[in-house]
């Protein structure tokens, strides 16, 4: 089983590197240092590696994006902005207040002051960090378990998850946010280094040398992918087929972390990094990536295509070089991903690969403007969010429909039904699993948290098992945390509809929502339809929708035990509508 998992991982890396492209020759060597190809001028003459192109002063997103669609209506805009920044729907009261502020006679005008106040309030909310942390945890391949055969629990992994949430809520400068995760133990913040050790692991592997080799390769691969937007892991066994990253470059990058991993049989990683001073093997390349074939000794160094490395550079030097205003590739990578989260698609189509196998940005000037804006805003991610959402480009009618993630769907359902528990931090909550799924796990792994009030907490605080994702999350494309994920899939499948229509969870939400509405409005059908639509879809219903809704309630009442059950079915229909599942 373990060998098969390893083979699958290797095959996946190979497929990511070469399987989607035209065939190229693989350059491997018995001495990857001696045979290393020198970096040439043309290697640096690639759009992603070049310095950022300057833009004139007072340039805005709208100057470069040139929006052409009319503005979104106020109800659609507050729904979009609230989901974007907090991952939750606006309350009916918030929708009504914002729409009224934008009312101008018989028409609506998005007032700058009203939108700015809304954005500021959402960015200051603790819900902001809870939502945006999931974006980063996808990149960090975070989970609360090891994965592989036994999928053992990591009892303190949640401390890193909470660190990410708190760092984002406090608006930690983004350069420091990244630097601390690579070298926080050298900066008085060791919890942040949980990023490095968030990878899958097999503590009980018979050969601990192999375990150490795989872990270090994963760490180097993830740092290169997250920080540089490059598939540096494709150079583990041979020179990168497409990018100017040699096999020796890969192991020089890995060497920064060599003194952080010293494995012992059945002893888990972390949860944070510590430096070992004894028993650490010398840093070498590994011929053909084989842990049994150490090659020439090497010193830690940045990939050569990015320039020279200072003498005696350590992990802190790497962190400071990586997340710096002079690292154009890092800035482009992060700006591209941020744009993707707001607009549903990145400017450069493959956010996990800005190398030669990726695609050039559709608007290079806009990408460079955003990349330069991050340090220009003193590395404030919140300020960069605000620059984006205050643009006319963001406020126009949507051109790309963005579907809620599984986590956002669950949180939205709990929120509109008044059940969401906003307790923060702490160990992950184990949600109840269907018996037929829980029975596939090892002993005690299918148990849920005993305190049922914990079961309605936000999804970011739920226990993330690597070998078994929550069924709702898995159906809606949550990544498996086996490797860094820069962009989630957005599939459309029949099981998604079946789960939303038939699951015990959605039925319980619909029933709770119906009970709440009935307590407020009795059997007043138009009032119930208006309140349900406002809660679920963040807008008032049209006259036609009220008419159709009344007919539905009348007919459904005759088919169910009573009016309350018919109302629950109406709420269930709203939860299954595209308008609920998509942001706008």
């Amino acid at each position: 089983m373990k060998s098969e998992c390893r083979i699958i991982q290797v095959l996946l890396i190979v497929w990511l590197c070469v399987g989607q492209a035209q065939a190229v020759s693989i350059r491997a060597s018995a001495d990857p240092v001696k045979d290393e190809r020198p970096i040439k001028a043309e290697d640096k003459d690639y759009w992603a590696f070049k310095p950022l192109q300057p833009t004139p002063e007072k340039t805005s997103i709208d100057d470069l994006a040139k929006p052409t669609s009319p503005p979104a209506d106020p109800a659609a805009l507050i729904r979009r902005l609230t989901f974007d920044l907090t991952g939750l729907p606006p309350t009916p009261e918030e929708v009504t207040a914002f729409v009224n502020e934008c009312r101008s006679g018989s028409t609506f005008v998005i007032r700058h002051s009203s939108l700015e106040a809304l954005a500021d309030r959402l960015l200051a909310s603790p819900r902001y960090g809870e939502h945006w942390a999931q974006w980063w945890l996808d990149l960090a391949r975070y989970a609360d378990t090891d994965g592989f055969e036994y999928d053992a629990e990591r009892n303190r992994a949640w401390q890193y998850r909470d660190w990410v949430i708190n760092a984002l809520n406090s608006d930690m400068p983004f350069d420091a946010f990244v630097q601390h995760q690579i070298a926080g133990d050298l900066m008085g913040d060791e919890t942040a280094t949980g990023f490095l050790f968030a990878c899958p692991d097999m503590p009980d592997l018979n050969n601990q040398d192999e375990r150490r080799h795989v872990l270090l390769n994963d760490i180097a691969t993830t740092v290169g992918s997250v920080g540089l937007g490059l598939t540096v892991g494709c150079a583990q066994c041979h020179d990168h087929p497409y990018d100017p990253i040699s096999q020796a470059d890969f192991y020089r990058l890995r060497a920064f972390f060599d003194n952080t991993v010293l494995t012992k049989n059945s002893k888990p990683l972390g949860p944070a990094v510590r430096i070992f001073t004894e028993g650490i093997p010398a840093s070498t390349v590994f011929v053909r990536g084989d842990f049994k074939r150490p090659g020439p000794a090497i010193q830690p160094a940045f990939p050569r295509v990015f320039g020279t490395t200072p003498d005696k550079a350590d992990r802190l030097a790497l962190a400071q070089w990586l997340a710096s205003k002079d690292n154009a590739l890092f800035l482009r990578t992060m700006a591209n991903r941020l744009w993707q989260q707001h607009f549903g698609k990145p400017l450069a189509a493959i956010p996990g690969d800005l190398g030669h196998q990726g695609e050039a940005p559709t608007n290079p000037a806009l990408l460079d403007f955003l990349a330069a804006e991050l340090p220009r805003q003193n590395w404030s991610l919140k300020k960069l969010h605000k620059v984006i959402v205050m643009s006319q480009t963001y406020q126009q009618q949507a051109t790309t429909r963005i579907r809620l993630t599984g986590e956002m769907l669950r949180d939205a359902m709990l929120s509109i039904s008044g059940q969401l528990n906003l307790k923060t931090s702490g160990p992950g909550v184990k949600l109840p699993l269907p018996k037929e799924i829980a029975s596939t796990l090892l002993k005690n792994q299918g148990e849920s948290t005993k305190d049922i009030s914990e079961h309605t907490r936000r999804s970011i605080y739920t226990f993330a098992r690597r070998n078994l994702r929550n069924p709702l999350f898995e159906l809606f494309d949550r990544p498996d945390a086996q490797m860094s994920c820069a962009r989630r899939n957005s599939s459309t499948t029949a099981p998604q509809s079946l789960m939303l229509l038939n699951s015990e969870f959605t039925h319980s939400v619909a029933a709770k929502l119906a009970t709440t509405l009935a307590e407020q409005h009795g059997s007043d059908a138009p009032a119930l339809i208006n309140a349900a639509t406002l809660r679920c879809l963040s807008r008032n219903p049209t006259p036609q929708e009220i008419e159709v809704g009344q007919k539905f309630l009348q007919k459904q009442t005759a088919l169910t035990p009573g009016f309350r059950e018919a109302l629950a079915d109406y709420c269930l229909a709203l939860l299954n509508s595209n308008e609920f599942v998509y942001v706008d």
Side-chain angles (χ1 to χ4, degrees):
M1 179 69 177
K2 297 174 187 176
S3 298
E4 289 175 359
C5 291
R6 286 285 179 230
I7 292 170
I8 290 171
Q9 276 195 318
V10 171
L11 290 175
L12 183 56
I13 290 172
V14 171
W15 179 78
L16 288 171
C17 294
V18 300
Q20 303 178 77
Q22 294 180 352
V24 295
S25 59
I26 300 297
R27 190 172 184 275
S29 169
D31 190 335
V33 174
K34 179 181 178 182
D35 297 336
E36 189 172 35
R37 185 178 70 84
I39 296 295
K40 300 177 182 178
E42 54 263 35
D43 291 326
K44 300 182 179 183
D45 191 28
Y46 176 67
W47 72 266
F49 301 160
K50 293 179 180 179
L52 299 179
Q53 299 302 304
T55 51
E57 285 189 35
K58 297 185 178 180
T59 298
S60 70
I61 288 175
D62 296 329
D63 295 331
L64 300 170
K66 297 179 172 54
T68 56
S69 299
D73 67 75
L77 188 56
I78 187 175
R79 177 178 168 87
R80 179 192 304 172
L81 186 59
T82 308
F83 267 121
D84 260 10
L85 295 183
T86 70
L88 294 171
T91 66
E93 295 76 16
E94 290 167 345
V95 174
T96 301
F98 184 72
V99 170
N100 287 338
E101 287 179 20
C102 295
R103 192 182 299 278
S104 179
S106 60
T107 61
F108 295 94
V109 177
I110 304 299
R111 303 186 191 282
H112 184 277
S113 58
S114 298
L115 186 64
E116 184 174 37
L118 174 61
D120 288 341
R121 176 174 63 79
L122 295 173
L123 288 168
S125 168
R127 313 287 84 81
Y128 161 79
E130 292 170 344
H131 173 56
W132 278 86
Q134 190 60 64
W135 162 66
W136 189 261
L137 295 179
D138 281 1
L139 291 168
R141 75 271 193 248
Y142 171 83
D144 291 301
T145 62
D146 286 337
F148 295 107
E149 182 177 0
Y150 295 109
D151 204 23
E153 295 184 11
R154 297 175 173 178
N155 296 326
R156 295 170 61 193
W158 60 269
Q159 294 173 346
Y160 166 68
R161 175 252 287 155
D162 280 359
W163 180 91
V164 173
I165 294 171
N166 293 333
L168 291 172
N169 272 332
S170 66
D171 204 18
M172 174 185 281
F174 195 72
D175 57 343
F177 176 75
V178 174
Q179 290 166 5
H180 281 226
Q181 294 181 70
I182 294 172
D185 56 310
L186 305 175
M187 306 168 75
D189 190 10
E190 67 173 21
T191 303
T193 61
F195 168 82
L196 300 176
F197 286 173
C199 50
D201 184 25
M202 277 200 290
D204 63 327
L205 193 65
N206 290 334
N207 193 318
Q208 290 293 304
D209 290 338
E210 180 183 7
R211 179 190 174 200
R212 179 176 185 270
H213 179 72
V214 171
L215 288 170
L216 285 166
N217 279 6
D218 184 286
I219 291 170
T221 296
T222 302
V223 169
S225 174
V226 175
L228 297 172
L230 294 177
T231 56
V232 298
C234 291
Q236 295 179 42
C237 307
H238 48 71
D239 290 351
H240 197 290
Y242 304 103
D243 296 330
I245 305 292
S246 69
Q247 189 183 4
D249 278 329
F250 175 83
Y251 285 102
R252 291 189 191 103
L253 177 62
R254 187 186 112 155
F256 284 107
F257 307 97
D258 277 351
N259 64 356
T260 67
V261 178
L262 188 61
T263 60
K264 292 184 179 180
N265 190 47
S266 298
K267 185 176 180 179
L269 280 178
V273 163
R274 55 171 290 197
I275 293 176
F276 294 95
T277 57
E278 297 179 354
I280 298 297
S283 296
T284 69
V285 297
F286 287 85
V287 178
R288 302 295 179 93
D290 187 346
F291 75 98
K292 296 177 182 177
R293 298 179 64 187
I298 51 171
Q299 295 297 317
F302 313 149
R304 294 165 303 138
V305 71
F306 302 117
T308 58
T309 304
D311 291 339
K312 298 181 180 179
D314 61 4
R315 218 169 0 105
L316 180 58
L318 171 68
Q320 292 171 337
W321 164 78
L322 185 70
S324 75
K325 63 181 178 60
D326 298 320
N327 190 337
L329 182 56
F330 168 78
L331 294 172
R332 287 188 177 109
T333 297
M334 297 305 169
N336 190 49
R337 290 170 178 162
L338 195 66
W339 185 268
Q340 165 192 299
Q341 295 303 109
H342 280 296
F343 290 90
K345 59 181 180 180
L347 292 167
I350 305 178
D353 188 2
L354 267 59
H356 288 77
Q357 283 303 103
E359 296 182 22
T362 54
N363 192 329
L366 176 57
L367 179 59
D368 279 12
F369 167 81
L370 291 168
E373 191 69 12
L374 186 53
R376 197 156 48 222
Q377 293 289 346
N378 294 318
W379 296 97
S380 170
L381 200 59
K382 288 188 177 183
K383 289 182 179 179
L384 186 53
H385 283 301
K386 188 173 177 179
V387 168
I388 291 173
V389 302
M390 294 303 296
S391 69
Q392 293 299 316
T393 302
Y394 179 83
Q395 296 169 37
Q396 67 184 333
Q397 292 179 7
T399 56
T400 300
R401 300 196 72 189
I402 301 176
R403 195 195 67 199
L404 301 181
T405 65
E407 295 92 331
M408 292 168 73
L409 275 170
R410 177 181 173 274
D411 291 352
M413 290 185 196
L414 291 173
S415 178
I416 63 171
S417 60
Q419 299 179 86
L420 186 62
N421 178 351
L422 293 177
K423 178 183 174 182
T424 61
S425 83
V429 177
K430 296 179 180 178
L431 299 179
L433 292 169
K435 290 182 180 179
E436 61 272 18
I437 294 178
S439 64
T440 66
L441 296 171
L442 298 177
K443 185 178 180 180
N444 299 326
Q445 288 189 352
E447 295 180 351
S448 61
T449 299
K450 292 181 180 179
D451 182 355
I452 60 173
S453 69
E454 295 279 294
H455 296 175
T456 55
R457 291 181 63 188
R458 286 204 73 173
S459 298
I460 189 69
Y461 297 115
T462 60
F463 189 83
R465 182 169 292 284
R466 212 168 232 117
N467 282 5
L468 181 68
R469 288 161 282 175
N470 178 278
L472 177 63
F473 302 162
E474 182 171 17
L475 278 177
F476 284 88
D477 304 304
R478 178 175 174 131
D480 60 12
Q482 298 297 331
M483 59 180 63
S484 178
C485 177
R487 185 180 188 181
R488 291 189 177 192
N489 292 329
S490 186
S491 64
T492 302
T493 65
Q496 293 169 346
S497 298
L498 292 170
M499 169 162 278
L500 290 180
L501 188 61
N502 299 313
S503 74
E504 181 179 344
F505 174 68
T506 50
H507 276 263
S508 67
V509 167
K512 174 62 176 175
L513 179 56
T515 298
T516 300
L517 295 176
E519 289 173 352
Q520 296 173 347
H521 303 286
S523 57
D524 184 344
L528 289 166
I529 293 166
N530 188 79
T533 305
L534 191 55
R535 280 193 182 227
C536 294
L537 308 182
S538 306
R539 63 169 178 82
N540 290 315
T542 65
Q544 184 182 12
E545 288 171 333
I546 293 177
E547 180 182 352
V548 171
Q550 287 179 290
K551 291 180 179 178
F552 174 87
L553 289 173
Q554 184 178 7
K555 291 181 179 179
Q556 198 69 5
T557 300
L559 300 173
T560 58
F563 183 78
R564 184 72 60 85
E565 288 76 13
L567 180 59
D569 287 343
Y570 182 77
C571 293
L572 182 65
L574 288 178
L575 297 178
N576 277 266
S577 66
N578 275 348
E579 197 171 347
F580 179 77
V581 175
Y582 286 80
V583 175
D584 59 2

